[in-house]
Amino acid sequence: MSDSAAKPRPQFRNISIPQILSYRLPLAGKLSILHRISGALLFFCLPLVIIPLFGASVTSAETYAQVAQYAGNPLVKLVFLVLIWGYLHHFCAGIRYLALDLHIGIDKQSSKKTAGVVFGVSLALTLVIALKLFGVL
């Protein structure tokens, strides 16, 4: 019998919020958490925001004009931008996870590099769309 089998495993109970906040996740871990958050954001906003606005916009010309006027509000544009970021991040991270499922880029260095690429691409695309959305481009 080995010594490691005889030692009792440490038990971590009652972890406090400051302890959780002090964890230092690698970039791939942060990407994974944001992938889940963006997926939940899209899942909950689909029936609450996206489908009702789309339905109203295709009903008639009058309702389209109302939706267009509503969507012109800067706060609404900001909400749309968050949804756009959620979609772009989830899409880009999803492509990375498909590659990982094919055993492409599973070593530590490649994983770190592809996580950085996903963050860079999704944020760059969000910036371009934000500039277009707010009328800069």
Side-chain angles (χ1 to χ4, degrees), residues 3 6 8 15 20 26 36 38 61 77 85 91 106 112 122 132:
D3 290 299
I15 295 176
I20 292 172
R36 292 169 189 251
S38 64
K77 286 182 180 183
W85 166 83
F91 180 78
I106 57 174
K112 184 177 180 180
S122 65
K132 181 69 177 167

Side-chain angles (χ1 to χ4, degrees), residues 81 84 88 91-92 119-131:
L81 189 61
I84 290 166
L88 291 171
F91 180 78
C92 293
F119 276 120
V121 168
S122 65
L123 290 174
L125 290 172
T126 303
L127 178 65
V128 169
I129 292 175
L131 293 174

Side-chain angles (χ1 to χ4, degrees), residues 29-104:
K30 294 174 185 172
L31 180 82
S32 176
I33 290 171
L34 284 176
H35 181 70
R36 292 169 189 251
I37 290 171
S38 64
L41 175 77
L42 293 173
F43 177 78
F44 289 118
C45 286
L46 189 66
L48 299 174
V49 177
I50 299 169
I51 292 175
L53 282 177
F54 177 74
S57 71
V58 297
T59 302
S60 67
E62 293 81 24
T63 58
Y64 175 79
Q66 290 174 348
V67 170
Q69 183 182 7
Y70 176 73
N73 185 335
L75 290 175
V76 174
K77 286 182 180 183
L78 197 59
V79 170
F80 288 163
L81 189 61
V82 169
L83 290 173
I84 290 166
W85 166 83
Y87 172 75
L88 291 171
H89 178 81
H90 199 76
F91 180 78
C92 293
I95 291 173
R96 178 181 178 267
Y97 289 125
L98 287 174
L100 289 174
D101 286 344
L102 296 171
H103 301 286
I104 299 170

Side-chain angles (χ1 to χ4, degrees), residues 9-16 19 23:
R9 294 186 66 188
Q11 294 183 1
F12 300 101
R13 296 182 187 179
N14 300 328
I15 295 176
S16 64
Q19 289 173 323
Y23 290 160

